[in-house]
Amino acid sequence: QVQLVESGGGLVQPGGSLRLSCAASKIFFSIYAMGWYRQAPGKQRELVARITSRGSTNYADSVKGRFTISRDNAKNTVYLQMNSLKPEDTAVYYCNADYSTAAGSKSDYWGQGTQVTVSS
């Protein structure tokens, strides 16, 4: 059973920082693209940041320059460093692993989510 386990969420004041971690097990981690998504109450889940198996990254415009995604293939872990946090960053953050073959089949896994609350 594939598992993605997030950690590192919590309560932080505006302007503060948090680092989220997502540890993966029972997948060939290095071939997967890894992403962080978030869902605020009453809103749709949205992509925050994604890193491909080759290390290419992309970010939502709202977090560019503040958040950094990285991966450690030796530890089967992806990270999200979040700086200069704003109240609008408050959401449940989910880790995602996805892999698509050239033939078009897709594997897609989600973690259980970790709450991030930015408030004074």
Side-chain angles (χ1 to χ4, degrees):
Q1 185 83 3
V2 173
Q3 279 194 315
L4 301 177
V5 180
E6 301 103 332
S7 61
L11 173 63
V12 63
Q13 292 187 341
S17 298
L18 284 174
R19 188 175 84 151
L20 305 183
S21 299
C22 171
S25 59
K26 299 186 179 178
I27 62 171
F28 192 4
F29 181 82
S30 63
I31 69 172
Y32 278 75
M34 300 298 298
W36 286 98
Y37 291 72
R38 67 187 180 188
Q39 187 166 20
K43 295 189 176 182
Q44 289 190 330
R45 190 174 296 189
E46 64 175 357
L47 174 68
V48 175
R50 186 173 181 268
I51 184 166
T52 69
S53 60
R54 296 186 178 187
S56 298
T57 59
N58 65 286
Y59 297 90
D61 287 344
S62 59
V63 308
K64 281 180 182 176
R66 300 188 297 123
F67 291 10
T68 303
I69 189 170
S70 61
R71 65 190 297 160
D72 185 338
N73 289 342
K75 296 182 178 180
N76 284 9
T77 301
V78 62
Y79 304 97
L80 185 68
Q81 178 66 45
M82 304 186 294
N83 298 329
S84 302
L85 282 160
K86 304 175 181 180
E88 51 263 43
D89 295 316
T90 296
V92 178
Y93 284 70
Y94 296 91
C95 177
N96 172 261
D98 76 86
Y99 173 70
S100 297
T101 69
S105 68
K106 184 175 172 69
S107 298
D108 191 31
Y109 302 102
W110 292 90
Q112 82 288 351
T114 186
Q115 176 70 47
V116 171
T117 302
V118 185
S119 175
S120 54

